[in-house]
Amino acid sequence: MRKNISLPSLTQKRSQSPSAKMMGDESGTYTVDDALAVVGFGKFQILVLAYAGMGWISEAMEMMLLSFVGPALQSAWNLSSREQSMITSVVFAGMLVGAYSWGVVSDKHGRRKGFLITAMVTSVAGMLSALAPNYSCLIILRCIVGVGLGGGPVLSSWFLEFIPAPSRGTWMVVFSAFWTIGTVLEASVAWFVMPTLGWRWLLAFSSFPSSLLLLFYRVVPESPRYLCLKGRTSEALRILEKVAKTNGKSLPPGTLISDHEIELNSKSMEPEGAHLLSESDEKPEIIDHNKSKSKSKSKVSTFGMLLSPELRKPTLLLWVVFFGNAFSYYGLVLLTTELHNGANNCRPMRSQSQGSEEVSYKDVFITSFAEFPGLIISAFTIDKLGRKGSMATMFFLCCIFLLPLTFHQPQALTTFLLFMARICITTTFTVVYIFAPEASQIYPTSVRTTGVGVGSSVGRIGGMICPLVAVGLIHGCHQTAAILLFEFVIFSSGVCVLLFPFETSGRELTDSTTTTTLEVG
């Protein structure tokens, strides 16, 4: 799904950098983070950003086209509103499967192989979608496209693993801009292609950016962080030397070691298991007995810990925020097309028209530009108002802009209101993927990544459900009910943001639930 960037592990590792530097001073060693901090952000990272950005543009285009293809297919194949909704929902279902699958593949076989396979799946299935002979084939192929799109976080993580730690927050916002470029590009392509060439050509053109990833794949390096974690430090060193040479810098003196080695060193100096459980929850017998049983128990306890009495409230609040963001963002994208669709016979003073040509592509194109001011606002408010303040403000403003749409409005006013609502929801969507990794500090280290990952999955469920509202209710002449449901979800998300126990900006990571409880209480 959109902007699902794996920052917790990166932030966590960076929190170890002082010890890494101490080790570097004492024994002539340095880590990947130390090397990247010395060589800085330069020409090499610009090339990496361009490649990863193309993948982000590809994902944005594949997601945006759903709002154009649905109305066209409803007319061409005489689909019901439920069948039209399924074209979007199956993509999110595929993403739910792909997000887990490609994460496992990239952790086991490398980032390069992970996004190579995802790019192949996305481009091939996307191109075949343009040739789909019937509805059933299209649904299967779009689901496969969703599986490929689920690997988007692999590419974004690969990009971030080349960025010096002090610059990661800034470049994450810059990286998010590629999604906006993709949405605007797709709207412009649809404006020119749909009225003349039709939906099949739109699907074909939209799969082109994924093909570009395959074209330049051979020159793409593996993540040096991944190589170090796998013990392949000599390969990681060669890549870091290439980064330094391209940027016109030199690597720090000494020997490259992995963060994992430092972690093992630091763990050997701590009481065993102290960082995983609080004193009241420690169970030494799990460590001392059958290892296979303890592993299966730990997997259950990892998820169970998210809903433990101390963590239940922040976990559920974070899930609602993820759900509300995905439901609202993708819902507004689909709603924009539906409310500008002349084929909608529920609109007063309008006769039912013929087909998808009546979709106002110009208005949809204008609305998609709302993402640019949304990014700018998020950059300015995220520190001044804080993560909670900026998200809550934008959620509530979004409710205000949507409220007049409970009744039919003139097209110009509808476009303006959707434009302003899109600005608000783009801001919250950008901030939530900075807020979530920081909010995960309330979790112990052992479940931090799981906490954000499960929340992101809940967001994808929101994406699966939103077409039933944005398409189904509008087609059933229930515009008021549809907008009121959006109002409820968005308002609830804003309230949940305010109820979150603390502001996340500038806080340190914690390693146990007891520490977090003391800080919050």
Side-chain angles (χ1 to χ4, degrees):
M1 200 173 77
R2 186 185 177 197
K3 305 174 185 172
N4 187 13
I5 299 174
S6 304
L7 281 177
S9 58
L10 297 176
T11 312
Q12 178 187 339
K13 286 173 183 173
R14 193 60 204 163
S15 67
Q16 298 169 344
S17 61
S19 62
K21 288 183 178 176
M22 282 176 57
M23 184 174 285
D25 292 338
E26 293 173 5
S27 56
T29 59
Y30 62 90
T31 65
V32 172
D33 269 346
D34 296 327
L36 291 174
V38 170
V39 300
F41 189 97
K43 293 179 182 177
F44 190 92
Q45 280 83 2
I46 298 262
L47 295 173
V48 170
L49 174 63
Y51 187 85
M54 182 57 66
W56 222 228
I57 288 173
S58 168
E59 182 166 345
M61 291 180 70
E62 290 287 354
M63 296 305 299
M64 270 295 292
L65 69 81
L66 298 171
S67 62
F68 302 112
V69 170
L73 285 173
Q74 186 195 28
S75 175
W77 289 353
N78 196 27
L79 302 179
S80 66
S81 60
R82 185 187 64 82
E83 289 172 325
Q84 182 184 341
S85 301
M86 281 295 292
I87 298 172
T88 298
S89 295
V90 294
V91 176
F92 284 98
M95 290 176 71
L96 201 58
V97 174
Y100 173 78
S101 305
W102 303 130
V104 172
V105 169
S106 66
D107 285 341
K108 189 173 182 180
H109 301 288
R111 311 294 191 246
R112 287 181 81 242
K113 288 184 180 176
F115 60 69
L116 168 66
I117 302 172
T118 60
M120 289 178 63
V121 170
T122 304
S123 60
V124 172
M127 186 61 72
L128 290 177
S129 297
L131 305 174
N134 53 50
Y135 176 77
S136 298
C137 287
L138 182 68
I139 285 292
I140 293 170
L141 289 168
R142 295 315 296 175
C143 184
I144 295 173
V145 168
V147 173
L149 294 177
V154 175
L155 197 58
S156 59
S157 296
W158 169 81
F159 162 68
L160 286 171
E161 288 173 359
F162 280 98
I163 306 303
S167 307
R168 281 177 188 150
T170 302
W171 287 104
M172 184 177 72
V173 176
V174 174
F175 183 71
S176 300
F178 282 92
W179 178 279
T180 300
I181 293 170
T183 60
V184 173
L185 184 59
E186 183 66 22
S188 60
V189 171
W191 189 5
F192 289 103
V193 170
M194 288 294 287
T196 54
L197 299 176
W199 63 271
R200 292 187 185 274
W201 281 98
L202 181 65
L203 288 172
F205 285 135
S206 300
S207 66
F208 180 68
S210 297
S211 305
L212 289 180
L213 295 179
L214 300 176
L215 185 63
F216 295 103
Y217 172 76
R218 292 187 64 182
V219 298
V220 174
E222 180 57 90
S223 162
R225 180 184 299 281
Y226 167 80
L227 293 172
C228 271
L229 288 174
K230 293 297 181 181
R232 296 155 60 181
T233 51
S234 59
E235 295 177 56
L237 181 60
R238 283 198 295 271
I239 292 171
L240 289 173
E241 287 171 345
K242 187 176 180 181
V243 175
K245 183 179 179 181
T246 306
N247 289 359
K249 300 289 182 66
S250 299
L251 291 176
T255 306
L256 176 66
I257 61 171
S258 68
D259 290 317
H260 183 60
E261 293 176 70
I262 296 174
E263 190 178 345
L264 289 176
N265 260 350
S266 61
K267 278 185 179 178
S268 66
M269 301 170 67
E270 297 175 1
E272 188 173 359
H275 64 293
L276 291 177
L277 299 169
S278 61
E279 288 181 12
S280 60
D281 290 335
E282 281 186 19
K283 297 181 180 178
E285 65 274 9
I286 294 179
I287 299 173
D288 296 333
H289 288 90
N290 193 307
K291 285 187 178 181
S292 62
K293 288 184 180 179
S294 69
K295 281 185 180 179
S296 62
K297 286 182 181 179
S298 67
K299 287 180 182 178
V300 175
S301 63
T302 294
F303 188 81
M305 193 179 291
L306 297 176
L307 296 175
S308 64
E310 298 133 325
L311 300 178
R312 187 180 298 122
K313 178 182 176 181
T315 295
L316 294 177
L317 290 174
L318 199 58
W319 287 0
V320 173
V321 173
F322 265 112
F323 180 93
N325 263 288
F327 182 93
S328 308
Y329 177 83
Y330 292 109
L332 279 177
V333 170
L334 294 171
L335 198 64
T336 301
T337 306
E338 293 302 321
L339 293 182
H340 288 98
N341 188 354
N344 182 1
N345 63 353
C346 302
R347 301 179 67 178
M349 304 299 293
R350 297 288 297 267
S351 58
Q352 186 172 6
S353 61
Q354 305 168 8
S356 65
E357 288 80 3
E358 291 300 320
V359 172
S360 177
Y361 295 105
K362 181 185 74 173
D363 290 325
V364 176
F365 176 74
I366 292 171
T367 307
S368 65
F369 267 96
E371 303 221 356
F372 284 111
L375 282 174
I376 295 170
I377 290 172
S378 64
F380 277 100
T381 61
I382 193 168
D383 290 322
K384 290 187 178 180
L385 297 180
R387 277 56 162 162
K388 288 175 58 177
S390 56
M391 272 201 296
T393 300
M394 287 301 163
F395 272 131
F396 296 143
L397 281 176
C398 188
C399 287
I400 293 172
F401 289 122
L402 283 180
L403 193 58
L405 293 177
T406 50
F407 302 101
H408 294 287
Q409 304 294 342
Q411 185 165 316
L413 180 58
T414 298
T415 300
F416 171 76
L417 292 171
L418 288 172
F419 184 90
M420 299 305 295
R422 186 83 168 266
I423 288 177
C424 297
I425 212 64
T426 299
T427 303
T428 63
F429 214 123
T430 302
V431 175
V432 76
Y433 279 101
I434 299 172
F435 170 80
E438 294 174 340
S440 68
Q441 64 189 274
I442 203 167
Y443 299 132
T445 304
S446 56
V447 296
R448 194 167 285 149
T449 303
T450 303
V452 178
V454 173
S456 182
S457 297
V458 172
R460 289 191 175 94
I461 294 172
M464 292 170 60
I465 296 173
C466 74
L468 302 175
V469 179
V471 178
L473 288 178
I474 297 295
H475 281 194
C477 299
H478 302 297
Q479 179 173 324
T480 300
I483 298 299
L484 288 177
L485 187 51
F486 272 105
E487 292 275 350
F488 173 76
V489 172
I490 295 170
F491 185 83
S492 299
S493 301
V495 171
C496 286
V497 169
L498 292 177
L499 291 177
F500 204 80
F502 56 83
E503 172 58 59
T504 65
S505 180
R507 292 178 64 97
E508 295 292 329
L509 291 174
T510 60
D511 289 323
S512 67
T513 55
T514 51
T515 306
T516 304
T517 305
L518 288 171
E519 289 181 350
V520 175

